[in-house]
Amino acid sequence: EQRSGHRVRAAVGATGALYAQARHGAPYQVFLSADDQTPLRLEADGLAVPGTRFVYATGRLVLWSADPQRVDAQGAVLTGAPADLQTPGVRLAIANPKTAPYGAAAVQVMDRLGVSTRWQPYLVQGENIAQTHQFVATGNAAMGFVALSQVAPGGRMTQGSAWIVPAHLHSPLRQEAVLLRKGEQNAAALALMAFLKTDDARAIIRSFGYEH
């Protein structure tokens, strides 16, 4: 906005929910997804401009607790996962795996660690990754799988305790942007898509805990 003079109005939600809204006529012009499959589906649906998809960020999943003593990241180096994740008994928050890519990644992690079944009675499910973070931040869940960008503003962990999940435990969280048909002739939409590809934009994205 500072550079272009254009205004951006953001609608925030789970990727799957935003996709459904776009299919039902929501006036979105640019779609920033938390995965690389939804933009492809939008293109196949005829709602996105072919050839405009690109990865603007790669997300990192983190097991986080507002309690600075709960998640033992050092112990996880030796055992493969924090002890708290191996022994259920507290409420664990994840985003809805059907609509939120970070939630789907959390399920993959638990599956690969062999702890999914035992954690089932203790799961608290957020509608999206923002609500999931809220559950943990307010103490409604003792810990949860959230995005590193939510708990490490500026690239630094400022509160609580966390284990950054090794990338090999889940599918890559490649986040794609795509220009929607409704933005094809919109100068602001085109400017935003162009800005996301600049070095300055990439530096901002990296500073908030994403890879690119």
Side-chain angles (χ1 to χ4, degrees), residues 120-204:
Q120 200 61 41
Y122 302 95
L123 292 182
V124 181
Q125 194 170 106
E127 292 182 11
N128 50 50
I129 197 67
Q131 188 180 57
T132 305
H133 174 265
Q134 185 179 29
F135 286 158
V136 185
T138 58
N140 286 313
M143 57 185 182
F145 284 102
V146 299
L148 178 61
S149 59
Q150 293 174 299
V151 298
R156 295 182 59 189
M157 195 75 61
T158 57
Q159 61 177 331
S161 54
W163 171 55
I164 300 175
V165 178
H168 71 271
L169 289 177
H170 60 82
S171 299
L173 287 161
R174 286 189 290 263
Q175 303 187 192
E176 282 196 347
V178 68
L179 180 67
L180 299 180
R181 289 287 187 188
K182 292 182 178 181
E184 193 169 9
Q185 304 299 325
N186 183 280
L190 296 172
L192 177 57
M193 291 288 285
F195 176 71
L196 288 171
K197 296 179 180 179
T198 66
D199 289 342
D200 285 348
R202 292 190 182 104
I204 294 169

Side-chain angles (χ1 to χ4, degrees), residues 12 51 54 57 85 87 93-94 99 115 121 130 140 143 151 159 184 191-192 194:
V12 181
F54 67 94
L85 194 58
T87 309
I94 66 169
T99 58
V115 300
N140 286 313
M143 57 185 182
V151 298
Q159 61 177 331
E184 193 169 9
L192 177 57

Side-chain angles (χ1 to χ4, degrees), residues 6-62:
H6 295 300
R7 294 292 303 277
V8 178
R9 294 178 61 189
V12 181
T15 293
L18 293 173
Y19 166 75
Q21 292 169 17
R23 288 203 64 191
H24 286 88
Y28 304 146
Q29 297 172 322
V30 171
F31 197 99
L32 300 183
S33 181
D35 67 0
D36 57 1
Q37 294 302 306
T38 303
L40 187 63
R41 291 166 67 191
L42 287 164
E43 193 175 287
D45 293 338
L47 298 174
V49 180
T52 62
R53 291 185 292 112
F54 67 94
V55 176
Y56 68 92
T58 299
R60 291 302 305 270
L61 186 69
V62 61

